[in-house]
């Protein structure tokens, strides 16, 4: 229904949803440009087992995209970048082989990354009716 709704219908919906909020909150959509309302689809990744890797890896939204309820996607992406950077430096110094370094990076990244995906989904269930992720 939301996908088909035009801007004025979405504006009316936003106003209706804020009816029980303080009047100042409802005034924001009420005073908005009636042609400027649109719906956004939100998606989440589904935590999974990454297995072993040899030459290719992923970071950021490419592996653990999450719903925006915690606002942490970019933060986690930067943590990935730092961790992967250290892994690559260790490979360049000859301290570890590439496959081992990437697999260790992915294990750690998947642990905290998918943890935040689950936290975001949990908060999303309460805040915006997000479907729960499988255990
Ligand atoms: C509305 C909104 C609000 C958000 N607010 C927050 C917040 O407050 N805090 C927070 O931490 N996170 C927030 N996020 C999440 C955050 O933006 C993302 O998690 C983060 O940008 C992911 O970074 P990334 O580098 O993995 O991916 P991206 O930022 O998506 O970067 C991927 C890049 O790859 C490029 N690209 C894609 N395909 C190709 C190709 N074939 N060849 C070359 N380049 C390509 C894209 O153009 C893009 O520049 C928000 C997201 C949205 C949408």
């Amino acid at each position: 229904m939301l996908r088909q709704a035009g801007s004025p219908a979405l504006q009316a919906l936003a106003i209706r949803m804020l009816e029980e909020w303080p009047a100042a909150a409802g005034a924001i959509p009420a005073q908005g440009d009636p042609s400027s309302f649109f719906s956004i689809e939100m998606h989440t990744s589904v935590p999974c087992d990454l297995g072993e890797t040899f030459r290719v890896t992923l970071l950021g939204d490419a592996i653990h995209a999450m719903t925006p309820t915690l606002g942490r996607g970019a933060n986690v992406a930067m943590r990935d970048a730092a961790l992967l950077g250290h892994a690559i430096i260790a490979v360049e110094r000859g301290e570890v082989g590439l496959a081992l370094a990437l697999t260790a990076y992915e294990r750690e990244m998947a642990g905290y990354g998918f943890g935040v995906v689950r936290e975001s989904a949990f908060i999303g269930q309460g805040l915006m009716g997000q479907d729960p992720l499988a255990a």
Side-chain angles (χ1 to χ4, degrees), residues 69-135:
T69 45
L70 284 175
R72 281 175 57 188
N75 291 272
V76 182
M78 287 189 283
R79 182 173 173 181
D80 295 351
L83 186 63
L84 182 56
H86 284 297
I88 292 168
I89 288 169
V91 172
E92 288 194 342
R93 286 183 178 151
E95 295 166 5
V96 64
L98 180 62
L100 215 57
L102 292 184
T103 299
Y105 154 74
E106 287 195 353
R107 289 229 166 97
E108 188 172 341
M109 173 274 290
Y112 64 73
F114 287 142
V116 183
V117 168
R118 286 195 180 281
E119 267 184 75
S120 297
F122 180 73
I123 303 288
Q125 271 178 261
L127 287 185
M128 53 185 200
Q130 180 176 348
D131 292 334
L133 289 170

Side-chain angles (χ1 to χ4, degrees), residues 49-80:
D49 181 8
L50 298 180
E52 281 183 39
T53 186
F54 300 96
R55 297 168 63 92
V56 175
T57 193
L58 297 165
L59 71 164
D61 279 10
I63 178 65
H64 47 55
M66 58 194 76
T67 43
T69 45
L70 284 175
R72 281 175 57 188
N75 291 272
V76 182
M78 287 189 283
R79 182 173 173 181
D80 295 351

Side-chain angles (χ1 to χ4, degrees), residues 2 5-19 25-39:
L2 283 180
S7 180
L10 292 171
Q11 181 178 26
L13 177 66
I15 295 167
R16 214 164 48 244
M17 288 177 78
L18 292 172
E19 267 169 6
I28 296 170
Q31 290 172 20
D33 174 352
S35 67
S36 67
F37 289 75
F38 55 92
S39 63

